[in-house]
Amino acid sequence: MAKKRRPQSQAAAPQIKDGEVPVVGAREPCPCGSGRRYKACHGRRAAHAATELVQRPFEGLPGECDWVALRELVPAATAELTLKGGLPEGVPAVKLATVLPMAWPALRRDNGTVLLGLQNDTASGDISRDLADTLQRALVAEPGTPVAAGRPAADGPRLQDLLDLDAPFEPTVHTGFEFWVENAENATGEVAASLERANAAAIPTTRIPGLEGAYWCQAPEKNHLRWVTSYPEEQLLDALARLHAAGTSSLGEGTRLVGSFRAHGLVVPVWDLPSSMDAAAVAEPAAAFAERLTKALATDAPLTAEERRARGGLTNRQVTLS
């Protein structure tokens, strides 16, 4: 049989840019006007971008370890972001926030300030690209409006392209979510009730000064120290195994290195702490452990049998968060 000709009305349809192509059903005609089904046209490109996972999306950003911690471990925190070339007119500040009301991806306040939410579902396999797309749309949003989720272009900018990579990244950990609203102390009605509910669910968390990515948190049964590190995984596990076998992996009496997370390409060792050990009490032993770890990382001798057993135990207790 002769091949069917493509209808002229579809072939002659006006072409539109990739960033303007809306998402439709897989079997529907692609909105770009190509005449093909969406799944065989722009849908194929979108599906490929969605499955191409970037293992370390925050690599290259100042404070990569803190970015991962705020994404996965810290309930309530903010950080000032510095844009390349400065702030656009009418935008007095850009702030990163762990989470925003209603899980909004971003929010443009009445005064023009932009809040960018970090703990959100993303449309592609590259969190950095998704956040950059949201940030760009938030910068031009009407003041006083939230920014909805979107699908970034496969070749769109990443945070590394938009942020000043020479500016420091200094998170501020909050006891609650009052940063959601201006003049939170005067909140009443449903706004006050929402803040109260959110604050009640937040696990008390404190950043350990002097150790990038290290956070103390208070849990019902025992406290914990979670330390996001940027060391190569195999090298770090060897070093932790050496210290564990030597009996020097703890942070003092009643503490124990219990395993690690793997999050966004980085390893996060975790210690159990007594309920009586607060953030101030853990700061000094954590700094001393960091010195021991530095020495262990510099050792390249083969692991002993005991160290290999210790490493196997640590590996078996490793959990991947992302």
Side-chain angles (χ1 to χ4, degrees):
M1 295 178 64
K3 185 176 180 180
K4 292 182 180 180
R5 292 186 178 182
R6 182 182 302 162
Q8 291 297 315
S9 59
Q10 292 184 353
Q15 300 295 309
I16 57 179
K17 297 179 180 179
D18 287 355
E20 301 172 345
V21 178
V23 176
V24 298
R27 294 181 177 274
E28 294 182 49
C30 186
C32 76
S34 66
R36 291 178 291 173
R37 290 178 177 177
Y38 178 71
K39 70 175 184 178
C41 190
H42 281 81
R44 176 183 295 176
R45 190 178 308 171
H48 176 72
T51 57
E52 191 173 0
L53 179 65
V54 175
Q55 296 293 333
R56 289 180 62 175
F58 306 116
E59 186 176 14
L61 291 174
E64 179 188 7
C65 296
D66 284 313
W67 278 88
V68 172
L70 267 57
R71 167 77 182 185
E72 298 294 342
L73 306 175
V74 182
T78 57
E80 295 278 349
L81 297 180
T82 304
L83 304 184
K84 289 181 179 178
L87 295 168
E89 184 177 356
V91 181
V94 176
K95 293 184 178 181
L96 183 74
T98 48
V99 68
L100 294 175
M102 308 296 293
W104 288 326
L107 171 66
R108 182 91 184 270
R109 281 182 168 166
D110 291 335
N111 66 359
T113 295
V114 168
L115 295 180
L116 179 65
L118 183 57
Q119 296 179 12
N120 287 301
D121 293 335
T122 53
S124 77
D126 186 353
I127 297 172
S128 179
R129 198 179 309 281
D130 290 315
L131 289 171
D133 175 73
T134 301
L135 175 57
Q136 286 187 311
R137 291 186 288 115
L139 291 171
V140 297
E142 288 294 323
T145 60
V147 177
R151 175 170 59 88
D155 58 351
R158 308 178 73 237
L159 286 175
Q160 289 82 343
D161 303 314
L162 302 182
L163 301 183
D164 183 350
L165 302 184
D166 293 324
F169 183 76
E170 293 291 339
T172 299
V173 178
H174 303 279
T175 56
F177 296 93
E178 283 74 16
F179 62 85
W180 281 354
V181 296
E182 298 178 85
N183 303 317
E185 64 277 6
N186 298 323
T188 59
E190 182 56 33
V191 173
S194 296
L195 285 174
E196 185 176 354
R197 288 193 296 269
N199 291 346
I203 297 175
T205 302
T206 301
R207 187 180 184 222
I208 303 300
L211 291 179
E212 180 186 337
Y215 290 81
W216 170 93
C217 69
Q218 183 181 38
E221 298 296 329
K222 59 189 69 175
N223 299 338
H224 303 284
L225 177 69
R226 301 163 174 172
W227 184 12
V228 185
T229 67
S230 58
Y231 302 113
E233 180 173 345
E234 297 303 315
Q235 183 183 2
L236 175 62
L237 290 175
D238 281 353
L240 291 174
R242 295 181 198 278
L243 296 175
H244 200 63
T248 58
S249 64
S250 74
L251 303 176
E253 185 177 355
T255 70
R256 185 168 67 98
L257 174 65
V258 293
S260 63
F261 298 123
R262 185 190 292 111
H264 305 292
L266 301 184
V267 179
V268 188
V270 179
W271 287 262
D272 279 351
L273 311 173
S275 297
S276 59
M277 194 172 196
D278 60 15
V282 81
E284 186 175 339
F289 174 84
E291 293 181 3
R292 297 196 298 274
L293 180 62
T294 299
K295 293 179 181 178
L297 287 165
T299 303
D300 57 3
L303 296 179
T304 65
E306 187 177 1
E307 290 168 346
R308 287 196 299 273
R309 286 193 294 272
R311 193 186 194 282
L314 291 171
T315 302
N316 290 336
R317 294 193 299 272
Q318 191 175 57
V319 177
T320 299
L321 297 182
S322 58

